[in-house]
Amino acid sequence: MADVSRHRSDITHHPDVTEMRERYARMVGARDVVFVDGPVLLAGLYFAISPWVVHFSGARPDLTVNNLILGIGVALLGIGLTTAPRRMYSLCWAMSAIGVWMIISPWVVTRFPDAGMIWNNVVVGAITCVLGLFAAGVLMRRSREA
């Protein structure tokens, strides 16, 4: 019969303890900006549905398409930051550029934007730009340390 008693053993004498610690350090090191991916995903999803939330989807179909495409793109960046953070942190500069485009797009895409469109795009664009700059700053700090 097998011994299934509940005693804790010390793994300090395990033959692979150094390899396990190094692997754990690599896994934790890749997730140093763990709270950026969620807000980026939420900002992208909100920006994609914002024409229907702010009620300008029927009046301005050109800005609706712009917001939908950019929102889906930012949401995909957020998913990418979750699944492959080391690869996706290099796209944080692109996320900042998308945030700047979100801010200026009501005036570029439409002729006479109303206040709801302007506030919506400026606020979500600023949030996206700040999150992109923050993640890019972490990337630069990590590359300096390496």
Side-chain angles (χ1 to χ4, degrees):
M1 188 178 229
D3 180 23
V4 290
S5 62
R6 301 201 183 261
H7 64 279
R8 295 184 129 183
S9 63
D10 189 17
I11 67 165
T12 56
H13 302 294
H14 192 277
D16 296 328
V17 71
T18 56
E19 181 183 341
M20 289 188 296
R21 285 184 180 154
E22 288 173 3
R23 182 175 179 207
Y24 179 75
R26 279 194 316 263
M27 289 175 58
V28 172
R31 300 293 301 158
D32 55 352
V33 188
V34 75
F35 63 92
V36 171
D37 49 1
V40 168
L41 176 67
L42 291 176
L45 290 177
Y46 172 75
F47 200 68
I49 66 167
S50 67
W52 294 275
V53 172
V54 183
H55 302 294
F56 63 85
S57 62
R60 300 282 194 246
D62 45 359
L63 192 61
T64 300
V65 171
N66 178 62
N67 287 12
L68 182 65
I69 291 171
L70 289 178
I72 291 171
V74 170
L76 289 174
L77 280 172
I79 291 171
L81 284 171
T82 303
T83 58
R86 289 183 187 244
R87 292 181 187 167
M88 296 302 288
Y89 280 144
S90 60
L91 290 177
C92 294
W93 292 109
M95 187 168 42
S96 298
I98 290 172
V100 170
W101 173 253
M102 288 176 176
I103 292 171
I104 64 171
S105 66
W107 295 281
V108 175
V109 175
T110 62
R111 289 191 180 177
F112 303 108
D114 63 356
M117 292 178 217
I118 294 171
W119 277 106
N120 178 62
N121 283 28
V122 167
V123 169
V124 179
I127 289 170
T128 304
C129 187
V130 166
L131 288 171
L133 289 174
F134 179 76
V138 169
L139 175 68
M140 287 176 34
R141 182 176 38 126
R142 186 190 316 155
S143 65
R144 270 191 237 137
E145 291 173 358

